Structures are given as C-alpha cells and as structure tokens.
Amino acid sequence: MRLPKPFFRLPLRFDAARLAAEVAALPAAAWAEHPNHLAGNSCVRLISVDGGENDSVDGPMAATAHLARLPYVQQLLACSGTSAPGASRISRDRLQTTPKPASSCCT
C-alpha cells in the first residue's frame, strides 16, 4: 500500500511480542468505542484530560488507570522524547479496514 505522505521513521526499536502480550492482557472493559465512531475500531485511552475516560483535548493531561497497567507501554512513551505528551490511545481495528487520516487539533 502506498501512502500519500511518507512516515517519519523514529530511531526506536521495540519488542513487538512483548507489546502485543501486554495489550492483549487488558480486560475487555478497558476497550472503548473509537472517538470517531469508526466501524470495527476500538481504543484504550492511555493519556487523557485528568486521566479520565474521555476524548477531550482541552485540559490537563494525565495517565489513565489503563496506562498504569502497561509498564512496557509506559517505557515506550518515555522513549518518545516528549516531556508532556498529549492525548494518547491504543487503537485496534477488528475489520482490518484501510486507515483514515487522524482528525485532531494537531493535524
């Protein structure tokens, strides 16, 4: 698949199997409907306003209880080089559809 814009390749390596195992261990209740209501998509909120179960981008960002259960994900986020990450989530696509551009205040 060709994308209209190239990805920026981060100088990071990670253990995909460890990441997948950690995410797979999350309880079903951790997964929420994707904020854009994309069919077959769900997400786990990692960083959100006040660390709550919300998709707002206005307010102080904090880690969610879900992120507290994901030590390897925390380690990966720490490697991102940002001192104050914004709203973050892990998304999954059950229908394996073609990704659409993200819509947020920063795109």
Side-chain angles (χ1 to χ4, degrees):
M1 167 169 89
R2 292 242 180 236
L3 298 174
K5 295 180 183 176
F7 279 102
F8 177 74
R9 191 174 298 263
L10 297 173
L12 302 173
R13 294 191 184 272
F14 60 92
D15 183 340
R18 181 176 175 191
L19 176 60
E22 194 169 272
V23 171
L26 286 166
W31 294 92
E33 181 179 18
H34 191 280
N36 293 337
H37 309 288
L38 301 172
N41 285 254
S42 56
C43 67
V44 174
R45 296 171 183 103
L46 303 176
I47 299 171
S48 64
V49 172
D50 295 323
E53 288 295 317
N54 62 72
D55 296 310
S56 180
V57 293
D58 298 318
M61 295 290 164
T64 66
H66 306 304
L67 182 56
R69 293 186 206 119
L70 302 168
Y72 189 58
V73 172
Q74 291 175 46
Q75 188 178 10
L76 294 175
L77 287 172
C79 290
S80 71
T82 61
S83 59
S88 302
R89 63 181 164 259
I90 294 174
S91 295
R92 70 177 172 189
D93 181 357
R94 291 282 186 194
L95 301 178
Q96 298 181 352
T97 57
T98 302
K100 295 181 181 174
S103 62
S104 72
C105 65
C106 304
T107 55

